[in-house]
Amino acid sequence: MQMPNEDFHFTKGTSKAFTWRDLPNAVTREFCADCGKHLITRRPGPDHIVLKIGTLDDPTAFKGPKIAIYCEGRQPFHFIPDGLPVFETLPDR
């Protein structure tokens, strides 16, 4: 789920961040400092984060995915529901 940076904050704890320094326009991924679970991704440029829905207390509140992105490398065992728009990379806005 993409959301504005200013609308997001951790309510407990501090995440650990990782960014590939040798890649142009690399994203920063933030993880739980205790268990290592991937929590959010910060992209360079836009003032938005990508929040991993599965990390929420009740991910069912979001009624499932609306689109599937970055599908260019998907494997035959990756399930995408019928009728869901599929994009090989990030779609244009």
Side-chain angles (χ1 to χ4, degrees):
M1 173 173 65
Q2 184 171 301
M3 64 186 302
N5 278 331
E6 65 268 11
D7 291 343
F8 177 82
H9 66 277
F10 290 105
T11 58
K12 183 178 176 185
T14 303
S15 66
K16 295 284 187 177
F18 177 79
T19 306
W20 287 103
R21 299 291 178 207
D22 58 342
L23 295 177
N25 298 315
V27 299
T28 297
R29 300 185 191 282
E30 294 185 30
F31 303 86
C32 173
D34 294 324
C35 72
K37 177 73 176 166
H38 184 192
L39 304 169
I40 65 171
T41 300
R42 295 183 192 271
R43 298 182 319 183
D47 293 324
H48 288 82
I49 59 130
V50 178
L51 173 66
K52 306 305 178 189
I53 297 292
T55 65
L56 300 177
D57 291 337
D58 183 12
T60 62
F62 293 92
K63 314 272 190 265
K66 305 295 185 261
I67 63 172
I69 60 173
Y70 295 110
C71 296
E72 62 190 349
R74 74 177 174 193
Q75 300 299 306
F77 51 81
H78 289 142
F79 172 75
I80 297 176
D82 290 338
L84 197 68
V86 175
F87 297 89
E88 298 302 304
T89 58
L90 188 65
D92 293 332
R93 302 206 183 274

